Amino acid sequence: MQIGIFSNDNEIARVGAQRIVDVYRNKENFVLGLATGSSPLPLYAELIRRHKAGDISFAHAQSFNLDEYVGLPRDHVEGYANFIHRNLIDHTDMPEGAAHGPDGWADDLNAGAAAYDQAIRDAGGIDIQVLGIGSDGHIGFNEPGGSLVSRTHVGVLTEQTRRDNARFFNGDIDAVPTHCVTQGLGTIMESRAHVFIATGQGKAEAVAQMIEGGVSGRWPASILQMHPDVMVLLDEAAASQLALGDFYREVWDKEHA
Ligand code: GLP
């Protein structure tokens, strides 16, 4: 992992956006994986800014979201497809139909999940995936105790995740869906590269387990230790439980001098 620790969100957004612009410069028809949540919002704002500055075009790109709730009306403002459109896609030149997400409304959710995995394959795989992390260590919606090699599947959300996400539903945990469709950890691991973002004290334990704990289904994000190309971008609070934070800072400074 390349681990960068920064004092503010703008710096994280700048470095993360540059990583994605670099992928675009090598491959105009790049395939971008997208995460929801509040952590990537500054990154998306910076990507929109770089797009308007002429540094990146999405005209030949496709995108694939990590996950989607099951049980929300299709037009619900907190639905993840709507979230991604509102916060990124609608501000770019990505053509209609090029932005994909797991189908949380399919009559047969399992068949829809399998079709989503196939759609990613048909697009040639994801070139770079944006990731956040849940306070319980989930990536996408892969909650603790699941398979480390899972494909896109229907999942159940932990109470902790539903409590964390209640802030998007007027603080009402009962309004947060109990189920989701998510790219599996096996699907996520096939992405050629990742930009991972975590900010705030609430993520500190999960981040420490991800980077310094054993690879374990208890902390699903720890599977990223097995991936060759992960850029981890943290603020000081999210990095605060790392045992070797000073060492990671030294390595980052030497490699990005
Ligand atoms: C959500 C999403 C994840 C996201 C995480 C963190 O539930 N399913 O993809 O990374 O939780 O969200 P936030 O960045 O808002 O803390």
Side-chain angles (χ1 to χ4, degrees):
M1 292 177 173
Q2 295 180 65
I3 302 166
I5 302 170
F6 302 93
S7 53
N8 66 71
D9 286 2
N10 292 341
E11 189 71 355
I12 291 174
R14 197 187 59 72
V15 174
Q18 186 58 48
R19 179 75 186 84
I20 293 169
V21 169
D22 289 344
V23 170
Y24 159 75
R25 285 185 180 149
N26 282 321
K27 191 181 176 200
E28 218 174 294
N29 61 341
F30 68 111
V31 181
L32 179 61
L34 294 171
T36 56
S38 41
S39 312
L41 287 177
L43 168 70
Y44 296 157
E46 175 67 5
L47 273 178
I48 293 165
R49 194 190 68 75
R50 297 286 306 259
H51 168 61
K52 297 204 186 308
D55 297 334
I56 183 168
S57 165
F58 300 81
H60 303 287
Q62 292 190 67
S63 69
F64 287 88
N65 298 346
L66 275 176
D67 45 17
E68 183 58 87
Y69 287 117
V70 172
L72 290 181
R74 208 180 258 281
D75 60 356
H76 195 288
V77 67
E78 294 304 335
Y80 281 172
N82 295 331
F83 177 100
I84 291 291
H85 271 274
R86 190 169 66 245
N87 288 297
L88 180 63
I89 306 296
D90 292 350
H91 309 277
T92 72
D93 56 349
M94 191 182 286
E96 190 77 29
H100 311 277
D103 187 349
W105 299 271
D107 291 334
D108 183 340
L109 289 170
N110 293 318
Y116 192 64
D117 254 20
Q118 190 57 48
I120 293 173
R121 283 197 198 98
D122 292 346
I126 293 171
D127 291 301
I128 188 155
Q129 172 72 54
V130 178
L131 289 174
I133 190 168
S135 63
D136 64 359
H138 71 234
I139 49 174
F141 264 142
N142 290 275
E143 298 284 31
S147 163
L148 293 176
V149 294
S150 58
R151 312 303 312 175
T152 300
H153 62 279
V154 180
V156 176
L157 303 181
T158 62
E159 192 181 330
Q160 187 173 339
T161 294
R162 294 178 63 231
R163 212 181 303 123
D164 288 346
N165 287 3
R167 68 187 193 282
F168 296 112
F169 294 85
N170 299 320
D172 179 9
I173 186 173
D174 294 327
V176 183
T178 54
H179 288 71
C180 65
V181 184
T182 180
Q183 284 189 35
L185 293 176
T187 314
I188 291 170
M189 288 292 283
E190 283 172 5
S191 175
R192 284 183 270 280
H194 294 95
V195 176
F196 171 99
I197 295 175
T199 53
Q201 194 64 40
K203 303 295 174 63
E205 183 186 16
V207 164
Q209 293 288 346
M210 173 182 103
I211 297 172
E212 297 179 335
V215 174
S216 159
R218 170 64 187 87
W219 296 98
S222 63
I223 191 68
L224 295 172
Q225 292 177 36
M226 306 291 288
H227 194 284
D229 191 346
V230 183
M231 179 177 273
V232 177
L233 304 175
L234 307 171
D235 69 359
E236 300 283 352
S240 61
Q241 288 187 29
L242 290 168
L244 299 183
D246 288 345
F247 175 62
Y248 309 140
R249 282 189 184 85
E250 184 188 339
V251 173
W252 179 276
D253 288 346
K254 288 199 159 76
E255 289 181 351
H256 295 84

